[in-house]
Amino acid sequence: MVKKAENIIVGISIGDLNGIGSEVILKTFEDSRMLELCTPVIFANVKILSFARKNFESTAALHGIDNLDQILPGKINVLNVWKEGVDVNFGTNDENAGKYAVKSFVAATSALKEGLVDVLVTAPINKFNIQSEEFKFPGHTDYLDQELEGNALMLMVQDNLRVGLLTDHIPVNEVASHLTEDLIRKKIETVKQSLIQDFSINKPKIAVLGLNPHAGDGGVIGQEENEIMKPAIKKLFEKGTMVFGPYAADGFFGSNQYEKFDAIIATYHDQGLIPFKTLSFGKGVNYTAGLNKIRTSPDHGTAYDLAGKNMADPNSFKEAVYLAIDIYNSRNEYAEISKKPLKTKEK
């Protein structure tokens, strides 16, 4: 059954309480038109959101609930994940804020796994203060990869610009040692499947960027392209995947080559995210492709320098909500089409 728009339940983790998460969430949903697109559920505590609402002079009307059976469409639902009061000190990096960011995220992920929310949108966290004996993950993506089915891949999205990563949160001096034919094959196949089922692109074209300057210059500046990347790309191409490269990364975006492809796969974090954020900052979305559930987030961090000042731009968070809903609908359409038997010609 296809859900009506307002009944698509968007689970939202609050992120770092001292960052801009609460502000961009409230600014997004105080626009009543958003409540016609979905039903938001913020995993936090209604007292925290009420404090933020007063601080930012928000007009958002909050509906506090103690379990997910109490969700009301047309309302900004706030699930009380914890009962105790928590001090909020905007702009401050502290361990307590990290603890509650994790509580919110873990509870929201659990609801996503159980199908109690349809999609998950995560507000920004601080990767340092979330670390504990119970939570030892570099960020959202790594935890989701453990908890959900599939193989997580960070895919940055802004309209038709989509940038994925072969490696993400690892030190630059370890990137080359992580590159294998198997890794490249898996990542390309994940991106291809996501483009088909999540973005409704039947025959996607994918570009892969080289690791070394000038994509190795034929082996003069490194052998990874010749020995690992080209063989992997060639095998996939021969099997019907429209994948090309490896391309020299330095001129790829400046020459607008990226516009010829449905997705670009960078070899490491900054190689992909620097050009992506240069082209789209403020409107980009971080989508975790490759999983059986849908999660998006804005393309920015906690922004402690802006926190509490009523200056944060909610556009990226709003785009993350839009994209999550679009992908949810695309997946449902793909599932319906996949079920239909192929028509045969009448004799």
Side-chain angles (χ1 to χ4, degrees):
M1 183 180 73
V2 177
K3 282 193 169 189
K4 292 181 179 179
E6 69 273 15
N7 290 330
I8 295 174
I9 300 173
V10 177
I12 299 166
S13 60
I14 191 69
D16 191 305
L17 298 180
N18 295 339
I20 62 170
S22 58
E23 181 181 348
V24 296
I25 292 168
L26 290 173
K27 284 181 174 178
T28 294
F29 290 105
E30 65 186 14
D31 181 347
S32 61
R33 292 171 297 183
M34 293 297 293
L35 300 179
E36 297 173 9
L37 291 176
C38 65
T39 298
V41 182
I42 305 166
F43 287 72
N45 176 278
V46 74
K47 292 178 182 176
I48 289 287
L49 269 297
S50 296
F51 168 78
R53 182 180 182 273
K54 183 177 180 181
N55 185 79
F56 301 119
E57 299 180 348
S58 172
T59 59
L62 305 174
H63 174 60
I65 60 176
D66 292 315
N67 63 70
L68 294 174
D69 293 334
Q70 299 171 330
I71 293 173
L72 288 180
K75 301 289 185 182
I76 304 169
N77 299 272
V78 183
L79 178 69
N80 292 309
V81 177
W82 61 85
K83 301 287 187 180
E84 67 273 16
V86 182
D87 290 332
V88 175
N89 299 294
F90 288 120
T92 304
N93 176 5
D94 74 59
E95 187 178 314
N96 204 43
K99 181 177 79 171
Y100 285 98
V102 169
K103 280 191 176 188
S104 170
F105 174 52
V106 169
T109 301
S110 176
L112 183 69
K113 283 175 67 175
E114 295 174 28
L116 301 175
V117 300
D118 296 310
V119 299
L120 173 61
V121 181
T122 58
I125 54 173
N126 180 310
K127 291 180 174 61
F128 178 77
N129 69 27
I130 61 168
Q131 302 303 317
S132 68
E133 287 300 314
E134 293 76 33
F135 194 92
K136 295 180 179 179
F137 298 90
H140 290 119
T141 304
D142 308 87
Y143 180 77
L144 292 169
D145 193 37
Q146 173 187 283
E147 294 297 309
L148 303 175
E149 295 175 15
N151 296 296
L153 179 140
M154 183 187 295
L155 188 65
M156 305 301 294
V157 180
Q158 199 264 316
D159 291 337
N160 294 325
L161 174 61
R162 306 174 190 91
V163 178
L165 302 176
L166 289 178
T167 64
D168 41 57
H169 295 129
I170 63 172
V172 173
N173 66 355
E174 295 180 14
V175 171
S177 64
H178 279 73
L179 291 183
T180 64
E181 281 196 40
D182 188 53
L183 173 74
I184 293 166
R185 177 186 59 78
K186 285 180 179 177
K187 296 293 186 181
I188 292 172
E189 288 177 343
T190 296
V191 170
K192 177 185 176 181
Q193 182 59 28
S194 179
L195 291 170
I196 293 169
Q197 73 173 14
D198 299 335
F199 297 93
S200 303
I201 301 170
N202 290 329
K203 293 183 178 180
K205 288 179 65 179
I206 300 167
V208 181
L209 302 183
L211 170 67
N212 296 298
H214 306 169
D217 246 350
V220 177
I221 318 176
Q223 291 294 333
E224 286 82 6
E225 285 79 9
N226 286 340
E227 295 180 358
I228 303 170
M229 302 186 77
K230 287 181 180 179
I233 291 168
K234 184 172 183 285
K235 288 174 185 175
L236 285 168
F237 186 84
E238 288 173 347
K239 290 181 179 179
T241 298
M242 299 289 284
V243 59
F244 305 87
Y247 292 96
D250 58 351
F252 188 83
F253 291 90
S255 63
N256 295 328
Q257 269 186 290
Y258 70 92
E259 294 178 349
K260 301 174 183 176
F261 298 93
D262 299 301
I264 300 97
I265 302 180
T267 52
Y268 58 94
H269 185 278
D270 283 13
Q271 185 190 64
L273 268 66
I274 288 173
F276 177 84
K277 291 190 176 184
T278 300
L279 291 166
S280 66
F281 197 76
K283 294 183 180 179
V285 177
N286 177 359
Y287 169 49
T288 307
L291 297 177
N292 65 328
K293 300 289 185 179
I294 297 162
R295 173 261 175 166
T296 63
S297 72
D299 69 354
H300 56 71
T302 55
Y304 289 139
D305 57 326
L306 297 178
K309 298 176 182 177
N310 206 11
M311 295 170 60
D313 184 345
N315 279 334
S316 183
F317 188 87
K318 189 177 288 189
E319 290 294 332
V321 175
Y322 289 150
L323 183 63
I325 294 168
D326 287 346
I327 292 174
Y328 178 84
N329 288 328
S330 292
R331 283 198 179 187
N332 280 342
E333 290 172 9
Y334 178 79
E336 286 298 315
I337 291 169
S338 299
K339 287 179 187 175
K340 292 179 182 178
L342 293 173
K343 289 183 180 180
T344 56
K345 292 182 179 180
E346 293 182 9
K347 294 182 179 178

